[in-house]
Amino acid sequence: MKKRYVILAALLVTAMAAAGCGKKKTDDTTQDAQVTVAPAENTDTAQADDGTLVDMQKSDDADIKNVIGDETATASKVIIVNGTGSAIKGLYVRPTSDDDDDWGDELINGLFTLNDNDKALYYYDASVKDADGNAVTSYDIRIVYEDEDLTDCYFRKLPLTVITQITLKMDGTGDDAIPYATYLTGSSKKETSTLSEVKARLGLDDSEDDSGDQEETDVTPTPEEDPEPTQAPSNNGDDPEPTQAPSNNGGNTDPSDASADAAKQYIGQPLSSLIAAIGDANGSDYENEPETGETGYHYYDTFTVSTTVDESGNEVVAGVW
């Protein structure tokens, strides 16, 4: 009888222990789910060009299972989102170059397939220097689709070092589709789109795009509609052609207008916005000053742009002279 009592007692203790572990596991699972879901509900959101809301990077890092590169103390990171509509099996990232034969190593390397709307966390070395010893600020991305019938796509001149999250997209479908990207920088609440820049680079008319190349179309009408420029040169003759020359001073958001006045409009804005408007500088230097931190100097033909760089690598236009 005593032996049977001992056996029953042992079975009871074992059952209670098993029930306790199961409950703890359930509780732990619940707590884990709360930790994962709660930030997504309360996270800051950013507004894309089309008015949709996108999650900021802080809430996304912990949920991303697709990781490229090594997380080190000095590594920078960026979230890459597949918004192309097709699965991606290969990814290349390199400093901007005209040599399409040299893309370096393929980064995914069979670790995963980045399906449509999936995200990958990419760790990289942001201290890369170019041949002149200047910090690299412009990068190109190439993607290889899982569907071998689809051709590779290229995304060029991206300010990767100031980007926190970038979405690779396609404008249109089929052979006429144009690859472009939208991205967030630092604490920005609105995505920047490269679609207008890409269309301008390809020589396509983007006049119907609200955020597109209307900047270019604004340049030509200015001297024709304003009577003042046509009156000043009239003393030189009746030929109307000389009256069009002063138009080079207007429309300073034209990407071809690399003037100091155009650059001054971007003081306080990300350097990437200025580059998208007036083009890349001829050269750049960076200095670390104890009191003010890192300062960048970007040299154009007739003026210099100074920038400030915060601890996260966000570079903002500070002055033009």
Side-chain angles (χ1 to χ4, degrees):
M1 185 71 177
K2 182 176 181 182
K3 183 177 181 181
R4 180 180 299 175
Y5 175 80
V6 171
I7 293 174
L8 290 174
L11 291 174
L12 180 60
V13 170
T14 302
M16 292 178 63
C21 289
K23 186 171 185 294
K24 181 178 181 181
K25 184 175 181 180
T26 302
D27 289 343
D28 289 344
T29 302
T30 303
Q31 291 173 359
D32 290 343
Q34 291 174 348
V35 170
T36 302
V37 175
E41 293 175 347
N42 298 324
T43 185
D44 293 335
T45 56
Q47 186 176 15
D49 290 344
D50 58 3
T52 58
L53 296 179
V54 294
D55 292 337
M56 295 295 286
Q57 180 179 353
K58 292 182 179 179
S59 64
D60 289 342
D61 286 1
D63 299 332
I64 298 177
K65 297 179 181 179
N66 302 323
V67 179
I68 306 171
D70 298 323
E71 181 180 7
T72 65
T74 58
S76 296
K77 62 183 178 180
V78 59
I79 295 175
I80 300 176
V81 184
N82 179 10
T84 65
S86 301
I88 296 173
K89 72 172 184 179
L91 179 73
Y92 298 84
V93 180
R94 68 169 190 188
T96 293
S97 171
D98 294 330
D99 184 4
D100 274 345
D101 293 330
D102 184 11
W103 279 90
D105 296 330
E106 195 278 300
L107 301 176
I108 295 179
N109 197 26
L111 294 175
F112 56 84
T113 298
L114 194 64
N115 295 315
D116 189 36
N117 293 322
D118 276 358
K119 300 176 182 179
L121 185 59
Y122 173 45
Y123 290 99
Y124 68 100
D125 181 6
S127 62
V128 177
K129 304 291 184 181
D130 60 19
D132 298 325
N134 300 317
V136 175
T137 58
S138 180
Y139 287 78
D140 299 334
I141 293 178
R142 170 188 172 188
I143 60 173
V144 180
Y145 288 113
E146 185 178 45
D147 185 348
E148 296 181 356
D149 291 334
L150 299 177
T151 58
D152 298 359
C153 285
Y154 303 84
F155 306 81
R156 305 185 187 273
K157 295 186 177 182
L158 301 169
L160 201 65
T161 55
V162 298
I163 293 176
T164 55
Q165 177 169 302
I166 182 168
T167 302
L168 308 179
K169 298 183 176 182
M170 302 295 292
D171 180 55
T173 58
D175 295 337
D176 295 330
I178 300 174
Y180 74 103
T182 58
Y183 59 82
L184 295 168
T185 59
S187 59
S188 173
K189 298 291 185 179
K190 185 176 182 179
E191 285 190 315
T192 299
S193 173
T194 67
L195 181 57
S196 298
E197 180 184 353
V198 172
K199 288 187 175 182
R201 191 185 308 140
L202 296 175
L204 301 176
D205 182 13
D206 194 23
S207 59
E208 296 181 358
D209 190 342
D210 292 339
S211 62
D213 295 340
Q214 292 178 349
E215 299 169 343
E216 295 186 5
T217 60
D218 288 341
V219 178
T220 303
T222 301
E224 297 177 1
E225 295 173 1
D226 188 350
E228 296 180 3
T230 61
Q231 294 175 0
S234 62
N235 294 330
N236 297 327
D238 297 330
D239 189 348
E241 292 183 359
T243 64
Q244 298 176 3
S247 64
N248 291 331
N249 296 326
N252 51 22
T253 56
D254 187 333
S256 64
D257 183 5
S259 66
D261 289 339
K264 287 178 181 179
Q265 294 189 8
Y266 293 89
I267 293 177
Q269 299 187 37
L271 176 63
S272 58
S273 298
L274 181 143
I275 292 176
I278 68 174
D280 294 314
N282 297 326
S284 301
D285 291 321
Y286 289 85
E287 295 181 359
N288 283 312
E289 302 176 4
E291 296 182 357
T292 60
E294 187 174 9
T295 301
Y297 299 95
H298 306 275
Y299 308 110
Y300 289 82
D301 290 338
T302 58
F303 61 93
T304 298
V305 175
S306 65
T307 60
T308 58
V309 185
D310 63 20
E311 295 179 355
S312 300
N314 302 315
E315 191 165 7
V316 177
V317 178
V320 178
W321 70 90

